[in-house]
Amino acid sequence: MTALLLLPLLLPFALPALARRALDRLAPVAALWAVTVCAVVLAGCSLAALGSFVLIGLLKVPLFAAVGELIHPLRTASDLVVLPAAATSVGALAVCGWTLVRSVLHQTRAFRAARTEAGHRPSAGDLCVVDSPRPDAYALPGRPHRIVVTTAMLRSLDGPEREALFAHERAHNDGGHHYFLAAAELAAHCHPALRPVRETIRLAVERVADEAAAARVGDRRLTARAIARAALAGQAARSERPDFAPAATTGPVPRRVQALLAAPLVPRAGRTIAGLLIACTAVSCAASAVGMADFHHRVEVAQGDERP
């Protein structure tokens, strides 16, 4: 049981490398979905494993064993292993919860501030122009969706480049990319190994929007130039916005520009990477399910409801 519950805590360490390879070898939209789903599932399984360790440790304490109506000792690994694992799990869950609450509060304040600012500015359709000396542009989720752009950013681009930038930000809103970024943020607070995956998912989101913008304007070089110029203009200053509001100026821009200037991606060995992601997710789910089922069976045995 203990060994099975360790697997969901170890498998997330393999995901950062797999996520980077997936973005290189799969189409951007396929990589985005595959990596995000895998990160969320691995995060959930790791939380389930930590919770199971906490419960095992609690049932080793006579007071909680009495509350659980255990009439026999709970059969587990040595207390020298179980009790430290339970204490460590309590600490890990407390840290995860604290950092997640702080992130949610910060992102909520930033989102409300951005929506308030956008609501007080003139708009044309989904486009909201903010008078600011800081060059910036981003896709703001909500009802309705907004594309927020500053006057400084508009002055930094010519007409066709502006259209490519707007197409990029509209692709974010149309694709619901803020949900992927929010899921990546949530997973990053559930397991430390998933924090690098958050940046990979952010890059995947931008790559998907880059390709959508290039298809909409019909010119990959124009889209690459617009993103490069917008990033150069916006690198000196950044407006306050939530992290789940994607922007064309974020991420490793040179890598994105290089991808746009190259031919559209032809997946190489994509099936292998996809298979590894699926296998990693399946093993984590199976280990969590079997480990918790075995724990439940042992509890019933200790309660005298079943035979060993």
Side-chain angles (χ1 to χ4, degrees), residues 32-52:
L32 175 60
W33 274 99
V35 173
T36 304
V37 170
C38 188
V40 171
V41 172
L42 290 181
C45 291
S46 67
L47 290 181
L50 290 174
S52 297

mmCIF file of all heavy atoms in Angstrom, residues 32-52:
data_model
loop_
_atom_site.group_PDB
_atom_site.id
_atom_site.type_symbol
_atom_site.label_atom_id
_atom_site.label_comp_id
_atom_site.label_asym_id
_atom_site.label_seq_id
_atom_site.Cartn_x
_atom_site.Cartn_y
_atom_site.Cartn_z
ATOM 1 N N LEU A 32 -0.910 21.344 -25.858
ATOM 2 C CA LEU A 32 -1.561 22.099 -24.790
ATOM 3 C C LEU A 32 -2.554 21.238 -24.032
ATOM 4 O O LEU A 32 -2.553 21.189 -22.787
ATOM 5 C CB LEU A 32 -2.267 23.319 -25.386
ATOM 6 C CG LEU A 32 -3.101 24.162 -24.425
ATOM 7 C CD1 LEU A 32 -2.237 24.724 -23.310
ATOM 8 C CD2 LEU A 32 -3.807 25.286 -25.180
ATOM 9 N N TRP A 33 -3.413 20.541 -24.760
ATOM 10 C CA TRP A 33 -4.416 19.690 -24.112
ATOM 11 C C TRP A 33 -3.758 18.536 -23.362
ATOM 12 O O TRP A 33 -4.105 18.247 -22.209
ATOM 13 C CB TRP A 33 -5.391 19.158 -25.154
ATOM 14 C CG TRP A 33 -6.520 20.082 -25.450
ATOM 15 C CD1 TRP A 33 -6.614 20.940 -26.501
ATOM 16 C CD2 TRP A 33 -7.713 20.250 -24.673
ATOM 17 N NE1 TRP A 33 -7.809 21.642 -26.435
ATOM 18 C CE2 TRP A 33 -8.500 21.229 -25.322
ATOM 19 C CE3 TRP A 33 -8.196 19.674 -23.505
ATOM 20 C CZ2 TRP A 33 -9.735 21.635 -24.831
ATOM 21 C CZ3 TRP A 33 -9.430 20.073 -23.015
ATOM 22 C CH2 TRP A 33 -10.184 21.042 -23.673
ATOM 23 N N ALA A 34 -2.808 17.867 -23.994
ATOM 24 C CA ALA A 34 -2.204 16.682 -23.389
ATOM 25 C C ALA A 34 -1.456 17.037 -22.110
ATOM 26 O O ALA A 34 -1.611 16.369 -21.081
ATOM 27 C CB ALA A 34 -1.254 16.020 -24.385
ATOM 28 N N VAL A 35 -0.643 18.089 -22.155
ATOM 29 C CA VAL A 35 0.158 18.451 -20.982
ATOM 30 C C VAL A 35 -0.724 18.973 -19.853
ATOM 31 O O VAL A 35 -0.518 18.645 -18.678
ATOM 32 C CB VAL A 35 1.227 19.490 -21.379
ATOM 33 C CG1 VAL A 35 1.949 20.006 -20.143
ATOM 34 C CG2 VAL A 35 2.217 18.889 -22.359
ATOM 35 N N THR A 36 -1.734 19.780 -20.188
ATOM 36 C CA THR A 36 -2.601 20.334 -19.147
ATOM 37 C C THR A 36 -3.392 19.241 -18.448
ATOM 38 O O THR A 36 -3.470 19.203 -17.210
ATOM 39 C CB THR A 36 -3.560 21.377 -19.741
ATOM 40 O OG1 THR A 36 -2.812 22.390 -20.409
ATOM 41 C CG2 THR A 36 -4.389 22.019 -18.647
ATOM 42 N N VAL A 37 -3.999 18.350 -19.220
ATOM 43 C CA VAL A 37 -4.772 17.259 -18.611
ATOM 44 C C VAL A 37 -3.875 16.382 -17.746
ATOM 45 O O VAL A 37 -4.241 16.005 -16.615
ATOM 46 C CB VAL A 37 -5.465 16.423 -19.705
ATOM 47 C CG1 VAL A 37 -6.068 15.159 -19.111
ATOM 48 C CG2 VAL A 37 -6.548 17.245 -20.393
ATOM 49 N N CYS A 38 -2.687 16.066 -18.244
ATOM 50 C CA CYS A 38 -1.767 15.231 -17.484
ATOM 51 C C CYS A 38 -1.356 15.921 -16.184
ATOM 52 O O CYS A 38 -1.311 15.288 -15.120
ATOM 53 C CB CYS A 38 -0.531 14.924 -18.336
ATOM 54 S SG CYS A 38 0.592 13.718 -17.594
ATOM 55 N N ALA A 39 -1.065 17.226 -16.247
ATOM 56 C CA ALA A 39 -0.657 17.955 -15.040
ATOM 57 C C ALA A 39 -1.768 17.983 -14.004
ATOM 58 O O ALA A 39 -1.525 17.779 -12.802
ATOM 59 C CB ALA A 39 -0.245 19.381 -15.417
ATOM 60 N N VAL A 40 -2.996 18.211 -14.439
ATOM 61 C CA VAL A 40 -4.122 18.272 -13.502
ATOM 62 C C VAL A 40 -4.361 16.909 -12.860
ATOM 63 O O VAL A 40 -4.578 16.805 -11.644
ATOM 64 C CB VAL A 40 -5.389 18.772 -14.221
ATOM 65 C CG1 VAL A 40 -6.612 18.621 -13.329
ATOM 66 C CG2 VAL A 40 -5.222 20.225 -14.622
ATOM 67 N N VAL A 41 -4.315 15.844 -13.660
ATOM 68 C CA VAL A 41 -4.546 14.502 -13.118
ATOM 69 C C VAL A 41 -3.435 14.117 -12.141
ATOM 70 O O VAL A 41 -3.702 13.582 -11.048
ATOM 71 C CB VAL A 41 -4.649 13.476 -14.255
ATOM 72 C CG1 VAL A 41 -4.692 12.056 -13.697
ATOM 73 C CG2 VAL A 41 -5.899 13.738 -15.090
ATOM 74 N N LEU A 42 -2.186 14.390 -12.504
ATOM 75 C CA LEU A 42 -1.082 14.064 -11.603
ATOM 76 C C LEU A 42 -1.171 14.869 -10.311
ATOM 77 O O LEU A 42 -0.857 14.355 -9.225
ATOM 78 C CB LEU A 42 0.262 14.333 -12.293
ATOM 79 C CG LEU A 42 0.634 13.388 -13.438
ATOM 80 C CD1 LEU A 42 2.002 13.759 -13.998
ATOM 81 C CD2 LEU A 42 0.641 11.946 -12.978
ATOM 82 N N ALA A 43 -1.598 16.120 -10.412
ATOM 83 C CA ALA A 43 -1.765 16.938 -9.210
ATOM 84 C C ALA A 43 -2.845 16.357 -8.308
ATOM 85 O O ALA A 43 -2.669 16.247 -7.084
ATOM 86 C CB ALA A 43 -2.112 18.380 -9.594
ATOM 87 N N GLY A 44 -3.966 15.953 -8.899
ATOM 88 C CA GLY A 44 -5.039 15.365 -8.113
ATOM 89 C C GLY A 44 -4.625 14.058 -7.453
ATOM 90 O O GLY A 44 -4.948 13.803 -6.282
ATOM 91 N N CYS A 45 -3.899 13.226 -8.187
ATOM 92 C CA CYS A 45 -3.455 11.950 -7.621
ATOM 93 C C CYS A 45 -2.451 12.165 -6.486
ATOM 94 O O CYS A 45 -2.455 11.430 -5.489
ATOM 95 C CB CYS A 45 -2.822 11.085 -8.715
ATOM 96 S SG CYS A 45 -4.003 10.470 -9.946
ATOM 97 N N SER A 46 -1.584 13.158 -6.626
ATOM 98 C CA SER A 46 -0.621 13.421 -5.553
ATOM 99 C C SER A 46 -1.331 13.907 -4.293
ATOM 100 O O SER A 46 -0.963 13.521 -3.175
ATOM 101 C CB SER A 46 0.424 14.443 -6.016
ATOM 102 O OG SER A 46 -0.161 15.720 -6.227
ATOM 103 N N LEU A 47 -2.367 14.733 -4.458
ATOM 104 C CA LEU A 47 -3.139 15.174 -3.295
ATOM 105 C C LEU A 47 -3.851 13.998 -2.634
ATOM 106 O O LEU A 47 -3.924 13.910 -1.396
ATOM 107 C CB LEU A 47 -4.150 16.236 -3.704
ATOM 108 C CG LEU A 47 -3.599 17.616 -4.094
ATOM 109 C CD1 LEU A 47 -4.740 18.546 -4.455
ATOM 110 C CD2 LEU A 47 -2.765 18.201 -2.969
ATOM 111 N N ALA A 48 -4.397 13.106 -3.458
ATOM 112 C CA ALA A 48 -5.066 11.921 -2.902
ATOM 113 C C ALA A 48 -4.086 11.056 -2.115
ATOM 114 O O ALA A 48 -4.412 10.532 -1.044
ATOM 115 C CB ALA A 48 -5.702 11.113 -4.028
ATOM 116 N N ALA A 49 -2.862 10.917 -2.634
ATOM 117 C CA ALA A 49 -1.859 10.117 -1.923
ATOM 118 C C ALA A 49 -1.478 10.773 -0.601
ATOM 119 O O ALA A 49 -1.362 10.097 0.427
ATOM 120 C CB ALA A 49 -0.627 9.939 -2.806
ATOM 121 N N LEU A 50 -1.291 12.091 -0.622
ATOM 122 C CA LEU A 50 -0.960 12.792 0.628
ATOM 123 C C LEU A 50 -2.086 12.651 1.642
ATOM 124 O O LEU A 50 -1.843 12.425 2.839
ATOM 125 C CB LEU A 50 -0.688 14.262 0.342
ATOM 126 C CG LEU A 50 0.606 14.591 -0.416
ATOM 127 C CD1 LEU A 50 0.666 16.076 -0.743
ATOM 128 C CD2 LEU A 50 1.829 14.178 0.384
ATOM 129 N N GLY A 51 -3.320 12.795 1.173
ATOM 130 C CA GLY A 51 -4.455 12.636 2.075
ATOM 131 C C GLY A 51 -4.533 11.239 2.661
ATOM 132 O O GLY A 51 -4.873 11.065 3.849
ATOM 133 N N SER A 52 -4.209 10.232 1.864
ATOM 134 C CA SER A 52 -4.221 8.858 2.365
ATOM 135 C C SER A 52 -3.165 8.651 3.444
ATOM 136 O O SER A 52 -3.419 7.992 4.464
ATOM 137 C CB SER A 52 -3.976 7.882 1.207
ATOM 138 O OG SER A 52 -5.024 7.959 0.247
#
